[in-house]
Amino acid sequence: METGLREKIEFALDTIRPYLEADGGNVRIVELTDDLVLKIEMTGNCGSCPMSSMTLKAGVEEAIKRAIPEITRVEAVNLTIA
């Protein structure tokens, strides 16, 4: 992943991290695929919270796509979303 893009992603994640941290969780970048799918890991309480799938879509993915529209999708590698 190019450094500039990683910095943009981290900056976007930093806008929502305080909310995740308030509930004892966080998020980390795992990979950005060639087709611009961002893979993340929900950590701490976010990894086991029943609301994590909603947090992923409404919080994390929204913040990322707003800041970096070329990212097509955000997936959590450690969540099973029904």
Side-chain angles (χ1 to χ4, degrees):
M1 176 183 334
E2 77 177 62
T3 304
L5 195 52
R6 184 183 245 314
E7 288 175 359
K8 284 182 183 178
I9 293 167
E10 287 289 355
F11 183 80
L13 291 175
D14 284 346
T15 65
I16 60 160
R17 274 198 172 105
Y19 304 104
L20 300 175
E21 290 169 348
D23 290 328
N26 208 329
V27 61
R28 78 171 186 88
I29 298 169
V30 173
E31 173 188 13
L32 182 62
T33 66
D34 290 338
D35 55 349
L36 297 176
V37 174
L38 178 64
K39 296 190 178 199
I40 61 165
E41 179 182 12
M42 304 290 280
T43 63
N45 288 342
C46 290
S48 58
C49 174
M51 297 302 288
S52 288
S53 60
M54 181 181 281
T55 300
L56 173 67
K57 289 297 175 191
V60 177
E61 185 172 54
E62 193 63 34
I64 294 291
K65 289 175 119 181
R66 194 173 356 168
I68 311 130
E70 56 268 31
I71 291 185
T72 57
R73 191 169 68 247
V74 178
E75 296 177 356
V77 297
N78 60 327
L79 298 182
T80 305
I81 299 175

